[in-house]
Amino acid sequence: MKKILFLCMGNICRSPAAHCVFQKLVDDAGLGDQFEIESAGTTGFHVSQPPDRRMQSTLRSRGIPVMGRSRKLISSDLDTYDLILAMDNDNLYDARLLSTDPEKKAKVKLFCEFCRQHSETEVPDPYYGGPHGFEKVMDLIEDGCQGLLEALRETKSA
């Protein structure tokens, strides 16, 4: 089983959206038993809260079920998960600070490395923006999640 953790700052917009999108892709592909998918935030500002209502609305408008509650990233996550995908460089940096082990640090990567249709290197935080920001984030997340699933399938078949 491959364990994937999506990571942003508060775990109420970007990372739970990636969790929901990737879970749907995996389930639609009949691969639900091959993955454990979760999300977390580098801060504990929103612990136990559901995804932001604007992100929930954006997810639902695209036919993606909403799931999860915010939690804070902990150092043992670097042991538990095979891959931790940070939405931006700040969260990548903060996650890598949790360990001095180079192997564990290497598990933390930027989410946009898996985007195929977009050239952005980070997923912007839509929290303080309008609805268009949530749509842009979802475009990036759907692209990156599709690329991630393709990459993991290629790795498995190689």
Side-chain angles (χ1 to χ4, degrees):
M1 177 171 289
K2 192 80 163 169
K3 296 179 180 183
I4 311 290
L5 181 72
F6 296 100
L7 181 68
C8 70
M9 186 176 77
N11 193 215
I12 59 168
C13 294
R14 298 171 290 173
S15 57
H19 173 187
C20 295
V21 168
F22 194 64
Q23 187 70 61
K24 183 171 185 340
L25 287 173
V26 164
D27 290 345
D28 288 353
L31 302 172
D33 61 336
Q34 296 178 29
F35 291 93
E36 180 179 315
I37 306 161
E38 190 58 67
S39 66
T42 55
T43 68
F45 296 146
H46 304 285
V47 169
S48 297
Q49 292 181 15
D52 180 278
R53 64 178 170 69
R54 298 164 295 173
M55 185 53 78
Q56 288 189 41
S57 176
T58 306
L59 286 162
R60 286 188 182 107
S61 75
R62 295 185 184 214
I64 300 164
V66 176
M67 64 187 78
R69 295 218 171 250
S70 177
R71 75 171 185 86
K72 187 173 189 236
L73 180 73
I74 55 176
S75 60
S76 64
D77 287 331
L78 276 76
D79 297 317
T80 303
Y81 291 92
D82 301 306
L83 185 61
I84 299 172
L85 295 172
M87 297 295 145
D88 61 40
N89 282 305
D90 289 338
N91 294 299
L92 176 84
Y93 177 80
D94 290 344
R96 287 182 174 169
L97 283 177
L98 293 177
S99 179
T100 58
D101 181 341
E103 196 171 299
K104 290 178 185 177
K105 287 182 177 207
K107 292 180 178 184
V108 186
K109 300 181 182 305
L110 281 172
F111 174 82
C112 283
E113 290 178 25
F114 294 95
C115 288
R116 304 289 192 254
Q117 306 299 317
H118 295 87
S119 60
E120 286 87 342
T121 58
E122 298 180 306
V123 179
D125 189 345
Y127 188 79
Y128 294 106
H132 67 279
F134 286 88
E135 293 295 333
K136 174 63 177 177
V137 164
M138 282 301 298
D139 291 343
L140 290 167
I141 286 174
E142 287 181 327
D143 180 18
C145 284
Q146 186 63 50
L148 173 62
L149 185 56
E150 289 170 13
L152 292 172
R153 282 179 153 173
E154 290 168 8
T155 302
K156 187 175 183 178
S157 65

